[in-house]
Amino acid sequence: SRLITFGDDRQFRFWKTADGSLERSLALPEELTGGDLFPDGHTAFAVHRENAFALFDLITGSITKTPISQQTITGWAFDPSAGRFATASREKWTRVWSTRTGEPLTPRLDHGGEVRWVDFSPDGKRIVTAGLTPEARVWDASTGEQLFAPLRLGTKPLEVAHWSLDGRFIVARSDENMVRVWD
């Protein structure tokens, strides 16, 4: 019955789907960046400027902040159930965290260069990372173990890597204007 949108003006807007009218609007507080919605429809995930992530309750406007240690977050992704999320960092590592408690669930996963992208497989069992190196890496999302040798493409950064919807393939784009698909 409701559609929630988030725009460049940092406003969450709640729309009635029956007639398309605006129900209400809520601004994301200045100390937060981001705005990905949880499946529950009333909680947003955001990055706090004090090296933390935050859960922003869209009903009450309250913020629950959880420190993430010395990490500059460059990207994040939720697992399919939204019970975990993974962060990408300027500090060359990624990690899987509990969405509700903020506790780390894996050790730091060393990518070997600044990580700009992280993506969960559709079954939530693996993650792929990419960034300012010419390779993507695949990890076990529960243990943090690297599953096989890095997936390499050219010599320039491979900043984006996605899982196919069936989880069988990884598709990556290189700054050399190349794309590769791995089985």
Side-chain angles (χ1 to χ4, degrees), residues 19-82:
D19 61 8
S21 64
L22 180 64
E23 185 178 286
R24 68 185 177 99
S25 182
L26 178 66
L28 185 68
E30 285 300 316
E31 67 268 23
L32 302 179
T33 304
D36 285 346
L37 286 175
F38 280 21
D40 68 10
H42 63 79
T43 307
F45 172 87
V47 176
H48 195 280
R49 67 175 161 223
E50 296 173 1
N51 286 330
F53 80 87
L55 302 177
F56 180 53
D57 188 309
L58 300 175
I59 307 301
T60 66
S62 65
I63 299 171
T64 304
K65 185 175 72 168
T66 302
I68 297 187
S69 70
Q70 298 301 314
Q71 180 186 19
T72 305
I73 298 171
T74 55
W76 64 82
F78 291 106
D79 77 353
S81 71

Side-chain angles (χ1 to χ4, degrees), residues 18 54-55 75 82 86 91-92 151 167:
L55 302 177
E91 288 75 24
K92 304 179 183 179
L151 307 173

Side-chain angles (χ1 to χ4, degrees), residues 107-122:
R108 292 180 181 186
L109 312 178
D110 184 14
H111 181 81
E114 181 176 324
V115 185
R116 295 271 179 100
W117 192 266
V118 61
D119 190 32
F120 274 92
S121 61

Side-chain angles (χ1 to χ4, degrees), residues 111-114 129-137 150-159 172-176 178 180 182:
H111 181 81
E114 181 176 324
T129 57
L132 297 184
T133 66
E135 57 197 32
R137 294 181 185 239
L151 307 173
R152 193 166 182 86
L153 177 61
T155 59
K156 292 188 178 178
L158 194 131
E159 295 188 44
R173 176 192 52 83
S174 165
D175 282 356
E176 293 178 73
M178 294 190 294
R180 178 164 288 158
W182 288 275

